Amino acid sequence: MATVISNQQVAQGVFRLSAQGRFSGKMGQFYMLRAGERYPLLSRPISIFDLAEDRIDFLYLVAGEGTALLSRLKPGDALALDGPFGNGFPELAGKTAFVGGGIGIAPFFYALKEAPEADVYLGFSREAYMVEEFRQAAGGPVVVDVGGSILDKLDFHAYDTIIACGPHPMLHAVQRMQAEAGSRAKVYVSLENRMACGIGACLVCSVKCRDGRKKACADGPVFLAEEVVFE
Ligand code: FES
């Protein structure tokens, strides 16, 4: 249980939630969050957006009942959270690009603390948000697209490692474009699957992979792009 410090709307339906406490986690991992009373069905997996000694921040999109309840939290309210869960990002080798679509930008802010030299690509369908914060945190370029495809601005040959997070159609396009480009980059996708338990017990987050079904929460959420079978 943690205490909410702030819960600010940064764009339509997008909130930045800060909670007080000592938490841990590596880049690309997530916590299961719920507002107030224990009610596991309403726990939602939310990536670590930022982490400091006495505080953890999450960036989330209101997409259902669980996140709507989160959006009503006020400073001083209790936030129930478990984690960190998931495998997180791999070790980053060589020139790296972080590619986020929509709320999929969230894990890269924290990742910039470990890899400030990474190039950042942020794509939004209607409204950009947190771009200034990313520009301040990044040591390299921050490329932004609103209304088009951020992937059109990405040269798959320019990087050794690419990590993408966003909706499945975008990640599927990443997989396709890597194959078409014949890029030798290691390309990873961080999946935004629905989850219930977050610990590998319920199978809600099942992912079809070339070597069978895996669990986004326990085996992922980060997979090699070529490993995933997008349906
Ligand atoms: Fe339950 Fe992944 S969320 S197994």
Side-chain angles (χ1 to χ4, degrees):
M1 203 61 99
T3 304
V4 173
I5 302 169
S6 63
N7 191 21
Q8 285 180 328
Q9 186 161 8
V10 299
Q12 196 177 357
V14 180
F15 290 76
R16 179 179 181 166
L17 172 65
S18 299
Q20 197 163 29
R22 290 178 80 85
F23 297 95
S24 62
K26 58 179 256 197
M27 55 179 179
Q29 287 191 301
F30 64 92
Y31 276 71
M32 297 297 287
L33 267 57
R34 59 195 172 273
E37 295 299 301
R38 253 193 183 284
Y39 184 20
L41 285 179
L42 294 183
S43 289
R44 289 295 172 263
I46 312 280
S47 301
I48 300 168
F49 177 73
D50 199 10
L51 191 57
E53 212 169 278
D54 58 349
R55 200 198 78 220
I56 189 164
D57 284 21
F58 300 96
L59 191 70
Y60 64 95
L61 173 70
V62 175
E65 198 184 346
T67 43
L69 286 173
L70 286 178
S71 74
R72 286 182 217 127
L73 288 173
K74 303 266 180 309
D77 285 350
L79 170 71
L81 71 175
D82 293 310
F85 297 127
N87 56 356
F89 293 167
E91 205 159 307
L92 304 174
K95 191 161 170 51
T96 297
F98 294 147
V99 187
I103 200 64
I105 68 170
F108 298 121
F109 189 76
Y110 183 44
L112 280 172
K113 281 198 165 153
E114 197 157 312
E117 70 291 344
D119 291 356
V120 180
Y121 294 80
L122 307 176
F124 304 92
S125 54
R126 282 187 300 275
E127 182 188 3
Y129 45 85
M130 305 309 287
V131 172
E132 215 30 64
E133 286 80 353
F134 268 91
R135 291 219 156 102
Q136 282 171 20
V142 177
V143 180
V144 178
D145 181 88
V146 181
S149 170
I150 189 67
L151 300 181
D152 291 343
K153 298 185 162 139
L154 178 69
D155 177 0
F156 280 76
H157 293 290
Y159 297 99
D160 303 297
T161 304
I162 297 172
I163 303 183
C165 182
H168 276 209
M170 173 189 147
L171 301 183
H172 194 181
V174 165
Q175 185 192 59
R176 228 175 18 240
M177 289 168 84
Q178 179 198 13
E180 282 165 11
S183 158
R184 298 161 76 107
K186 283 244 180 214
V187 180
Y188 298 88
V189 290
S190 183
L191 302 180
E192 296 178 325
N193 280 35
R194 278 194 81 78
M195 293 183 192
C197 71
I199 53 167
C202 73
L203 304 184
V204 160
C205 65
S206 177
V207 183
K208 191 171 177 186
C209 291
R210 291 196 195 285
D211 56 347
R213 293 226 158 243
K214 296 194 175 174
K215 297 166 187 166
C217 65
D219 302 314
V222 185
F223 296 87
L224 266 175
E226 64 199 36
E227 200 186 335
V228 179
V229 179
F230 289 99
E231 298 173 300

